Amino acid sequence: MTEKPYRCLGAGRPSRWLVTCDHATNRVPESVGGGSLGIAPADMARHIAYDVGAAGVALRLAARLEARAILSDFSRLVIDPNRGEDDPTLVMKLYDGTIVPANRNVDAAEIDRRLNAFYRPYHAAYAALAAERDDTVVCAVHSFTPRLNGRQPRPWQVGVLYSHLDDRLARPLIARLREDGLATGDNEPYRGHLDGDSVDRHALRTGRPNVLIELRNDLIAAEDGQIAWADRLAPILEAVLAESGL
């Protein structure tokens, strides 16, 4: 039996929230390079392979919110589920200074195989979960490295990303996090709209309210940080949603 490239949790939980984690793991399936991309274990442990700490936060946040959750089960370096199918960064050959040998000579046929094996099943499951309720609200959990190679340190503890097409939850969430004393990025450290990404596919195109939370990964690398951030974010998210009237 083929292993699913995702995990779904919380079936039957009552919340409107759907918590997602696109970059939950650094796992490389056996069908890709025999389970190796040919890069050093230290690099596979970095943000280039997955969002460090994000899965732990997502699982605990979903539990706190009594929400369903979906998490990927393949490394973003295998194929990035948070990119459109036609995005040139869908399969990265070089990322933050690290060459990815298993991707160096990847061709269209291999990309299509990875799309069918990993990317498309993940998004089909995501779409099905989101469609279980007419009032689903998406909360995407990601993490970011405190500093890219050769770049300035990033000052934020947390960032909230959003599209210009829908900032209904993001803007009040940013305000609330700043009121709580947190160094909060407004569409930082990344811009919040990318055609074909997960929020675009499953929230913007369907009109679902959404937020994307980026946490600095040194704050959530350990379990205690993951628990603390989930505990901190859950009541804030509930309050912001309730006050929004959405």
Side-chain angles (χ1 to χ4, degrees), residues 17 136-140 160-163 165-170 192 199-200 202-204 207-212 246:
W17 290 101
T136 293
V137 182
V138 173
C139 177
V160 178
L161 310 190
Y162 56 91
S163 169
L165 299 173
D166 186 2
D167 60 3
R168 294 173 293 173
L169 288 181
V199 169
D200 181 52
H202 300 291
L204 296 178
R208 294 184 180 110
N210 62 89
V211 290
L212 190 156
L246 293 168

Side-chain angles (χ1 to χ4, degrees), residues 137-166:
V137 182
V138 173
C139 177
V141 178
H142 291 257
S143 71
F144 64 94
T145 184
R147 184 174 188 167
L148 291 169
N149 285 333
R151 305 286 184 88
Q152 292 296 312
R154 290 162 159 174
W156 312 282
Q157 295 168 285
V158 58
V160 178
L161 310 190
Y162 56 91
S163 169
H164 61 285
L165 299 173
D166 186 2

Side-chain angles (χ1 to χ4, degrees), residues 8-186:
C8 294
L9 301 101
R13 288 177 178 168
S15 176
R16 296 175 61 190
W17 290 101
L18 172 60
V19 178
T20 71
C21 190
D22 292 328
H23 302 142
T25 179
N26 59 0
R27 189 178 78 87
V28 180
E30 189 68 23
S31 64
V32 178
S36 172
L37 294 170
I39 64 178
D43 277 326
M44 286 302 297
R46 293 203 301 133
H47 68 99
I48 65 171
Y50 74 125
D51 280 358
V52 176
V57 175
L59 290 171
R60 290 169 175 83
L61 183 60
R64 282 292 311 272
L65 294 171
E66 295 187 273
R68 299 156 297 145
I70 182 167
L71 293 81
S72 68
D73 197 22
F74 54 93
S75 171
R76 69 194 301 167
L77 292 179
V78 170
I79 193 163
D80 194 334
N82 198 35
R83 297 291 184 272
E85 291 194 14
D86 59 350
D87 193 296
T89 65
L90 184 66
V91 177
M92 294 290 282
K93 300 181 179 183
L94 173 70
Y95 196 169
D96 196 26
T98 296
I99 294 171
V100 186
N103 292 346
R104 182 180 294 174
N105 298 314
V106 71
D107 58 14
E110 173 59 11
I111 291 173
D112 196 56
R113 188 190 73 80
R114 295 186 195 183
L115 283 166
N116 287 324
F118 313 116
Y119 179 105
R120 288 171 180 151
Y122 171 73
H123 281 291
Y126 190 149
L129 273 178
E132 285 180 354
R133 297 182 58 130
D134 293 336
D135 60 352
T136 293
V137 182
V138 173
C139 177
V141 178
H142 291 257
S143 71
F144 64 94
T145 184
R147 184 174 188 167
L148 291 169
N149 285 333
R151 305 286 184 88
Q152 292 296 312
R154 290 162 159 174
W156 312 282
Q157 295 168 285
V158 58
V160 178
L161 310 190
Y162 56 91
S163 169
H164 61 285
L165 299 173
D166 186 2
D167 60 3
R168 294 173 293 173
L169 288 181
R171 290 196 181 278
L173 177 59
I174 291 167
R176 184 63 65 90
L177 291 170
R178 288 176 173 172
E179 287 171 9
D180 210 36
L182 295 168
T184 304
D186 182 336

